[in-house]
Amino acid sequence: MSSITAAIFATKVTSTQEHQLTAYALLFEGSVPVWEIHIGGKVFRFIANTDYILEDGLWQLIDYCNIPRAEYVHDVSNNIPIPIEEEMGEDICKEQRENIIVKLYENNLHFKITTWPGVWMPKLNQKIEEWNSYGIQITCDA
């Protein structure tokens, strides 16, 4: 059985300087790493590439946070997860992973990553430090 090994919370800062939850992603690791994106009462699932678990979770979370609710409200939710490369195509996945810093920087979201023992995210702390050096609002309690 899969277990939750990480979560990413995407928030926006309100006028009172409080963080308002926009969406979140849960990582389930078993035989494959499955991300669940939770937004607007919907759950969207996909299988991440094991070499890019964090990047795949972040860019999908950002995409869902930036599209209008009207565009996903009627989409099928609680779907059976398929590999992200199969759903989006290898070229798009490569482009999104290569441009994750720009994608993180250009949105108006803050990210909080929480991990549990046993999570598999290659170079997690190094990536967070690098992204923070670019002014990206991301924290991690790994």
Side-chain angles (χ1 to χ4, degrees), residues 105-121:
Y105 187 78
E106 287 180 342
N107 71 74
N108 192 24
L109 297 169
H110 293 234
F111 298 96
K112 168 77 173 169
I113 300 171
T114 300
T115 63
W116 284 266
V119 69
W120 170 251
M121 281 194 199

Side-chain angles (χ1 to χ4, degrees), residues 15-122:
S15 60
T16 61
Q17 297 303 308
E18 293 183 8
H19 286 258
Q20 178 183 18
L21 182 65
T22 302
Y24 62 94
L26 300 175
L27 177 64
F28 292 86
E29 288 185 293
S31 58
V32 294
V34 175
W35 278 110
E36 287 187 352
I37 307 293
H38 293 253
I39 185 166
K42 294 283 197 168
V43 178
F44 301 98
R45 296 182 175 98
F46 67 92
I47 299 170
N49 182 302
T50 55
D51 293 329
Y52 302 99
I53 294 172
L54 181 58
E55 291 88 341
D56 288 353
L58 282 167
W59 69 268
Q60 283 293 289
L61 184 58
I62 292 167
D63 281 358
Y64 277 103
C65 287
N66 287 318
I67 61 174
R69 178 177 167 79
E71 287 187 30
Y72 67 78
V73 72
H74 299 292
D75 286 353
V76 174
S77 183
N78 294 316
N79 57 315
I80 294 172
I82 61 173
I84 192 75
E85 284 92 351
E86 187 177 315
E87 182 178 357
M88 306 299 283
E90 289 184 21
D91 291 340
I92 290 173
C93 290
K94 181 181 179 198
E95 178 185 334
Q96 292 295 325
R97 292 170 186 145
E98 288 174 354
N99 295 315
I100 191 68
I101 292 173
V102 173
K103 197 169 196 87
L104 286 164
Y105 187 78
E106 287 180 342
N107 71 74
N108 192 24
L109 297 169
H110 293 234
F111 298 96
K112 168 77 173 169
I113 300 171
T114 300
T115 63
W116 284 266
V119 69
W120 170 251
M121 281 194 199

Side-chain angles (χ1 to χ4, degrees), residues 6-9 54 58 111-115 121 124 128 131 138-142:
I8 305 172
F9 302 94
L54 181 58
L58 282 167
F111 298 96
K112 168 77 173 169
I113 300 171
T114 300
T115 63
M121 281 194 199
L124 173 63
I128 300 300
W131 297 340
I138 188 166
T139 59
C140 182
D141 64 1

